[in-house]
Amino acid sequence: MSLTARQIIVTGGGTGIGRAVAAAFAEQGDQVVITGRRKGVLADTAAELGPTVRAVAFDAADPAQVAAALAELPDQVDVLVNNAGGNTDIGAEPAEGRAEPAEGLPVVDALDALAAAWLANLNANLLSAVLVTTALRERLRPGGAVINLSSIAAHRGGSGSYGAAKAAVEAWNLTLAQQLGPEGITANVIAPGYIEETEFFGAGIAPERRAWNIANALNQRAGTPADIAGTALYLASPAASHLTGQTLHINGGTFSGR
């Protein structure tokens, strides 16, 4: 182990994008902590990624669990990757109000269901990042980086509470960049487009939808977790020290972000 190894935390690091990000940092000699709610999944991933990766299980959207986890997290943090989240509408029963209020329900019940659905996505995607970053604020080393994950859904519409939650992440990131800037700490957002090899879509998407996503990318391919991991490595590198408060759109040109 290098005495100069950086301390990296990746939330939602057990699978998909988070796992790829953790692996990329570990491969270049950094010490990595992966977090998430599923203790078994995290433990298996840490074992597979090697001795420089360890797991700390907690729900990033639960203030009590975040506070309790601090004792197991590094005293100093060079890079924080807020990857935890996902679209809580996917796989949810319509009766739970995850997409739209169910027809035939009394108005108050329909609104209660809708409120629960929106709060679920806000908690999973925005609050998780805010809580973890705030809890670790005094541990962030000058010259370090915070990397937040958004989505193309924040810019294209049609995704309801999930897109709104990711848009909120981008708005909050700008405030965070303003706060951290005087210490030389950057805060940026990665907004992926269609990424395969993740759990995001649960059982997967229809072949025609996959084909549509690929056809809309200028490079005519799906994104991979490795694409996002490579971007995270760049944002955490000295080469990106003058890049902050920005959203990088990694989607093969499907959305330009201009």
Side-chain angles (χ1 to χ4, degrees):
M1 179 183 73
S2 171
L3 295 177
T4 60
R6 296 183 300 176
Q7 298 294 324
I8 316 295
I9 296 177
V10 182
T11 70
T15 63
I17 289 174
R19 178 193 172 103
V21 170
F25 279 109
E27 286 169 4
Q28 63 177 25
D30 294 316
Q31 297 287 308
V32 184
V33 175
I34 55 173
T35 81
R37 294 175 297 172
R38 297 178 293 176
K39 187 174 182 179
V41 171
L42 288 173
D44 289 345
T45 296
E48 291 165 4
L49 294 184
T52 62
V53 180
R54 64 185 180 90
V56 179
F58 64 91
D59 184 347
D62 184 322
Q65 290 191 40
V66 173
L70 286 174
E72 299 182 69
L73 298 177
D75 291 334
Q76 292 186 305
V77 179
D78 294 287
V79 182
L80 169 61
V81 182
N82 286 310
N83 169 71
N87 189 344
T88 56
D89 287 346
I90 294 176
E93 294 295 329
E96 295 177 344
R98 297 296 179 174
E100 296 294 338
E103 292 183 9
L105 282 179
V107 172
V108 65
D109 292 340
L111 292 177
D112 279 346
L114 188 61
W118 275 69
L119 287 171
N121 258 323
L122 286 168
N123 287 340
N125 295 285
L126 174 62
L127 186 62
S128 61
V130 172
L131 289 179
V132 173
T133 304
T134 302
L136 294 172
R137 173 66 184 87
E138 298 306 315
R139 303 186 187 189
L140 296 175
R141 283 177 173 164
V146 178
I147 302 169
N148 298 302
L149 269 289
S150 178
S151 169
I152 194 173
H155 302 272
R156 299 188 72 185
S159 56
S161 57
Y162 174 68
K166 288 303 192 183
V169 169
E170 296 184 16
W172 166 70
N173 179 80
L174 180 54
T175 297
L176 183 64
Q178 293 167 342
Q179 294 170 342
L180 300 179
E183 297 174 42
I185 302 171
T186 61
N188 290 291
V189 175
I190 300 174
Y194 174 57
I195 304 293
E196 295 190 325
E197 303 171 26
T198 78
E199 297 181 339
F200 183 85
F201 292 103
I205 62 173
E208 58 271 20
R209 180 66 179 180
R210 177 180 183 273
W212 183 88
N213 285 329
I214 292 173
N216 276 275
L218 301 184
N219 57 0
Q220 300 291 284
R221 73 167 176 87
T224 69
D227 293 321
I228 309 306
T231 305
L233 289 183
Y234 167 66
L235 289 176
S237 73
S241 63
H242 198 50
L243 176 64
T244 193
Q246 306 300 314
T247 296
L248 277 66
H249 298 276
I250 311 301
N251 53 48
T254 301
F255 175 81
S256 70
R258 290 185 298 168

